[in-house]
Amino acid sequence: MAKTRSTSKGSTHRFGGDWTDAKLDVLAKYLKSYTTALEGKPTPAQPFRKAYIDAFAGTGTRTARESESSGATETLLFPDLAEAAPQKLLDGSAKLALQVEPRFDKYIFIERSPERCQQLEGLKTEFPALANDIDVRQGEANEVIQKLCADPSKWKSRRAVLFLDPYGMQVEWKTIEAVAATKAIDLWLLVPLGMGMNRLAPKSGKLPESWRQRLNAFLGTADWYDEFYKVETKPTLFGDHQVQVKASMDVMARYFNNRLKQVFAGVAEEPGVLWNSSKNPLYMFCFAVGNERGKDIALRIANHLLKPLKEVR
């Protein structure tokens, strides 16, 4: 869902701007196309059991940001993401999924906060016809997802869309590998490009060990360093001089997308990009499909929906 934060327990989160609307619009349209395409598949008598999984579900709703004082933005994880927008309650990813027709058979909302889990439970009252199929799970997202995916054989008659929309770089590569191993889950993943990878890889190449370990866990390898930092030889009046050059964010983005290709049946070649009002890339919106047989139509739909997000707004 759109990320928002507040100092009061369980209150509606507030985080993001127009790029949040764009992200959720893509997700909502894909979910509708997904359930429509899989309706009555593989056979009308025994269709797939379809699930929507939201791994950082929050409260189920979000509030668009209006102009605030600098003091208020200090409650945000990244204050510089604050955007001006009308103050209004908008549906988050959880509520959007519950409104999709044809519907999913199961809705799994994962949230670490007990208070927010209580608010997610309230969706059962708001959507009484779906109440028995709403499953709110309190826990750390990586652990819960890995447990869900632990036995790929259980996924032969199941299909799912997983939305991973973390605040930062909490997602671990071993979680992504577990999702891919099911060969049954389509993944929408928000990757903190400018706000995460780029910041944790300083121009000097000198990273605190904790930052290096975070990137190792996120990318699933330590080889990223040699891709993000290249040694170039430049001629000078005193002879050749070797300098270390940091890769562009485009190189970082392609590196991550290529990592996805190593484990999923299909991956959108050009992820969407979410920009802030200063035209700086904040996030990369990646799509990967788990099932080989379904990848062509899934990629065709995803690529069409992502196209508007590839231009600076």
Side-chain angles (χ1 to χ4, degrees):
M1 64 166 290
K3 291 300 174 286
T4 54
R5 289 171 67 91
S6 174
T7 54
S8 60
K9 290 185 177 181
S11 61
T12 303
H13 290 189
R14 297 199 300 176
F15 187 51
D18 291 344
W19 54 271
T20 307
D21 297 335
K23 168 190 64 178
L24 290 177
D25 183 57
V26 168
L27 178 67
K29 289 177 179 177
Y30 184 79
L31 295 181
K32 179 173 178 56
S33 297
Y34 180 88
T35 56
T36 300
L38 282 185
E39 193 169 21
K41 301 292 189 343
T43 67
Q46 291 185 311
F48 289 122
R49 290 279 298 170
K50 300 178 292 295
Y52 171 74
I53 308 170
D54 200 323
F56 295 87
T59 61
T61 60
R62 67 189 180 90
T63 302
R65 171 171 298 281
E66 64 179 356
S67 181
E68 298 185 35
S69 66
S70 59
T73 59
E74 289 176 358
T75 63
L76 291 168
L77 182 61
F78 299 121
D80 49 337
L81 289 185
E83 299 283 351
Q87 184 68 28
K88 58 181 179 178
L89 191 65
L90 301 171
D91 289 344
S93 52
K95 291 183 71 172
L96 286 174
L98 292 167
Q99 295 168 19
V100 167
E101 291 290 346
R103 55 159 291 183
F104 285 87
D105 299 297
K106 190 80 171 179
Y107 306 88
I108 301 174
F109 302 134
I110 305 167
E111 171 56 49
R112 194 165 194 165
S113 163
E115 292 82 8
R116 292 176 199 141
C117 281
Q118 289 179 6
Q119 289 192 314
L120 286 167
E121 290 285 354
L123 293 173
K124 295 179 181 179
T125 301
E126 189 172 349
F127 297 88
L130 305 177
N132 292 335
D133 300 314
I134 295 175
D135 182 0
V136 179
R137 303 192 184 190
Q138 182 187 346
E140 198 277 324
N142 289 287
E143 295 176 0
V144 177
I145 295 170
Q146 289 174 37
K147 187 175 180 179
L148 276 171
C149 301
D151 185 357
S153 66
K154 293 182 178 180
W155 284 89
K156 290 183 178 179
S157 60
R158 304 175 187 176
R159 293 292 184 267
V161 177
L162 168 61
F163 184 42
L164 283 177
D165 184 13
Y167 283 120
M169 296 180 64
Q170 297 95 328
V171 177
E172 298 176 357
W173 186 257
K174 58 184 178 181
T175 299
I176 293 174
E177 287 182 315
V179 171
T182 67
K183 300 185 185 302
I185 299 176
D186 288 2
L187 172 66
W188 284 97
L189 170 63
L190 202 69
V191 178
L193 181 60
M195 300 308 303
M197 286 198 290
N198 190 54
R199 285 192 173 183
L200 292 183
K203 189 175 182 180
S204 66
K206 297 178 180 178
L207 286 72
E209 185 59 26
S210 60
W211 292 13
R212 186 184 291 267
Q213 292 302 320
R214 182 64 261 163
L215 282 165
N216 288 350
F218 182 71
L219 297 169
T221 177
D223 294 343
W224 59 267
Y225 190 90
D226 292 334
E227 296 296 326
F228 289 9
Y229 296 98
K230 298 289 188 180
V231 176
E232 296 182 0
T233 300
K234 295 187 177 181
T236 70
L237 293 175
F238 306 100
D240 291 343
H241 177 62
Q242 289 190 328
V243 295
Q244 184 170 256
V245 179
K246 178 184 172 180
S248 66
M249 277 194 279
D250 181 65
V251 170
M252 294 181 181
R254 293 191 181 279
Y255 179 83
F256 183 84
N257 215 43
N258 286 335
R259 291 284 294 153
L260 288 178
K261 291 178 183 179
Q262 294 175 22
V263 294
F264 280 92
V267 175
E269 287 288 345
E270 298 291 338
V273 180
L274 303 176
W275 313 80
N276 66 7
S277 58
S278 299
K279 309 305 180 187
N280 294 316
L282 300 176
Y283 292 96
M284 178 169 65
F285 202 20
C286 295
F287 175 76
V289 56
N291 187 262
E292 182 69 31
R293 292 184 64 182
K295 74 174 183 180
D296 290 342
I297 186 171
L299 287 173
R300 186 161 60 250
I301 295 169
N303 285 328
H304 173 72
L305 295 176
L306 286 170
K307 192 173 182 180
L309 297 187
K310 297 170 187 177
E311 301 295 333
V312 179
R313 297 192 169 196

